Amino acid sequence: MKSFASDNYAGVLPEVMEALQKANSLHARSYGADEITKRVTRLFKDIFEADVDVFFVFNGTGANVLSISSATQSYNAILCSDTSHIYNDESSAPETFTGCRFFPLQANDKGKLEIKTISDRLIRKGDVHYPQTAMLSITQATEYGTVYKPEEIKEIATLTKENGICLHVDGSRFFNAAASLGCSLNDISGKAGVDILSLGGTKAGMMFGEAVVVFNKQLAKHIAYKQKQVMQLASKTRFIAAQFEAMLHNELWRKTAKHANNMAVLLCKSLTKNRNINITKPVQANAVFAEIPRNWYEPLQEHYPFYVWKESTHEVRLMCSWDTKEEEVASFINAINELPQNIV
């Protein structure tokens, strides 16, 4: 079985496995006081060209909850896309741990939030009867596999700063976005005005772990205590940090993310040749969205699982990962071509 359901299905990069094995050779101090974590934190500062604070956490939901809680009180509101992961796919964890009200904003047809949509919801500031907006969260790459360009993020950041709210980026596929844009990690985060970033590692080829990167020093004030409170402080932090060191060394992340993106482009081009398939979103990272005949689901998913995104229109999501091969894309296309093509 080869899956196009999620890049979470993929295994672990060999370089990451090697880093874990190396970190496993000796005893080390716990809870981030070890030399590996200190060294990797310095590496983050160099890469992001700023005195960032870095907090290594277990998973994406934990990274987002920690990021949001660093900037909010329970009377606050969070603005996010109506397709966002924090609104649709993290159960009630963000609301439960932060106590905040989440307001979903309609994303455009490319899955992005537009300036007017955001500004129209920046209302009732100082009104005690209304939850006070404290943060805007965007996703990079978006849930539709599209990417915000640096200038788009800067424009959003200017708006948030003018209105005294923080800008959070859910970057579960942040490496794919940077690889797609051909830019540095900093170009679409700190340099663009982002206050706090949930930097994904697992989908990129790590065994587990994400990082919360704090650019805004005001948010770093209490975040260490929040990390413990939301149960994201690992006693053996070094095993998360070591994986990020492998990912960041010589930009391994760019090589692997670029490969995943290229496989998505190949998959898209191959699917486009079939008259029964409609590509619904631009392919900019490692995701392909397409409408396919409903009666293809079961025979295809028997060998190539994928995610049904929108049942009413038969829209599916096909994800490529660091280990997707050209021949696997070709096999998937062959399986499609062997199905009945005369769709009424």
Side-chain angles (χ1 to χ4, degrees):
M1 181 190 76
K2 192 67 178 187
S3 174
F4 290 101
S6 173
D7 32 12
N8 282 322
Y9 281 43
V12 180
L13 284 161
E15 294 89 344
V16 169
M17 291 295 287
E18 184 180 347
L20 283 166
Q21 186 61 49
K22 188 176 179 181
N24 196 44
S25 60
L26 296 171
H27 279 213
R29 296 182 69 183
S30 58
Y31 296 107
D34 61 278
E35 291 306 312
I36 295 174
T37 301
K38 291 178 182 178
R39 183 174 71 235
V40 180
T41 299
R42 290 194 296 270
L43 178 59
F44 268 80
K45 294 177 188 290
D46 291 339
I47 287 172
F48 288 98
E49 302 174 335
D51 184 26
V52 296
D53 293 278
V54 185
F55 298 87
F56 298 103
V57 299
F58 293 109
N59 54 40
T61 298
N64 287 333
V65 168
L66 179 59
S67 295
I68 294 167
S69 66
S70 72
T72 58
Q73 298 291 336
S74 56
Y75 55 80
N76 285 137
I78 311 299
L79 304 182
C80 58
S81 164
D82 58 355
T83 60
S84 67
H85 201 271
I86 60 173
Y87 187 72
N88 291 287
D89 297 292
E90 294 182 347
S91 185
S92 59
E95 292 93 340
T96 299
F97 279 98
T98 66
C100 295
R101 175 77 60 81
F102 282 65
F103 286 112
L105 309 183
Q106 185 173 3
N108 64 19
D109 60 352
K110 293 182 177 61
K112 299 182 187 180
L113 288 179
E114 297 179 345
I115 288 294
K116 186 178 187 309
T117 304
I118 299 167
S119 59
D120 284 349
R121 286 299 304 182
L122 296 174
I123 58 176
R124 298 177 68 173
K125 186 175 182 179
D127 184 346
V128 73
H129 302 285
Y130 193 80
Q132 297 296 288
T133 303
M135 176 176 277
L136 168 70
S137 179
I138 63 173
T139 313
Q140 179 76 312
T142 73
E143 283 75 17
Y144 278 123
T146 54
V147 298
Y148 287 94
K149 296 177 181 178
E151 55 268 27
E152 292 175 315
I153 300 174
K154 287 178 182 178
E155 187 178 15
I156 293 172
T158 298
L159 178 65
T160 57
K161 284 176 173 53
E162 288 174 350
N163 286 272
I165 64 174
C166 295
L167 176 59
H168 166 249
V169 171
D170 179 352
S172 63
R173 296 184 177 95
F174 198 75
F175 291 137
N176 296 93
S180 174
L181 292 164
C183 67
S184 72
L185 299 176
N186 195 28
D187 286 337
I188 49 175
S189 55
K191 193 181 288 187
V194 171
D195 291 294
I196 192 164
L197 164 69
S198 298
L199 179 61
T202 309
K203 290 180 174 66
M206 285 170 42
M207 182 179 287
F208 65 95
E210 322 284 301
V212 172
V213 185
V214 187
F215 301 94
N216 185 335
K217 283 297 180 182
Q218 285 297 110
L219 304 188
K221 204 170 182 181
H222 305 293
I223 195 170
Y225 302 101
K226 293 280 190 179
Q227 184 183 23
K228 182 67 175 180
Q229 187 181 48
V230 299
M231 298 171 282
Q232 289 293 320
L233 178 60
S235 59
K236 297 182 180 180
T237 302
R238 67 188 184 277
F239 289 104
I240 304 176
Q243 294 179 77
F244 270 106
E245 185 171 38
M247 294 294 294
L248 296 172
H249 181 67
N250 290 334
E251 291 197 334
L252 174 64
W253 64 266
R254 190 183 297 277
K255 174 186 173 184
T256 54
K258 189 174 181 180
H259 172 79
N261 294 352
N262 288 342
M263 290 299 97
V265 171
L266 175 63
L267 178 59
C268 176
K269 288 180 178 178
S270 301
L271 291 170
T272 303
K273 297 175 183 177
N274 191 301
R275 60 184 175 83
N276 294 309
I277 297 174
N278 175 42
I279 304 299
T280 59
K281 305 298 176 190
V283 177
Q284 297 176 349
N286 61 324
V288 179
F289 284 80
E291 293 171 348
I292 69 172
R294 172 64 183 83
N295 60 355
W296 286 4
Y297 286 6
E298 285 77 12
L300 285 178
Q301 288 188 322
E302 185 176 347
H303 301 288
Y304 303 95
F306 52 82
Y307 180 72
V308 178
W309 185 263
K310 191 175 182 181
E311 186 68 55
S312 62
T313 60
H314 305 158
E315 184 179 33
V316 302
R317 185 192 71 177
L318 303 164
M319 297 298 306
C320 294
S321 59
W322 69 267
D323 64 348
T324 302
K325 297 180 176 62
E326 289 187 23
E327 52 265 36
E328 292 161 351
V329 172
S331 295
F332 181 61
I333 297 301
N334 288 337
I336 288 176
N337 292 336
E338 290 174 359
L339 294 172
Q341 301 296 309
N342 295 322
I343 308 299
V344 179

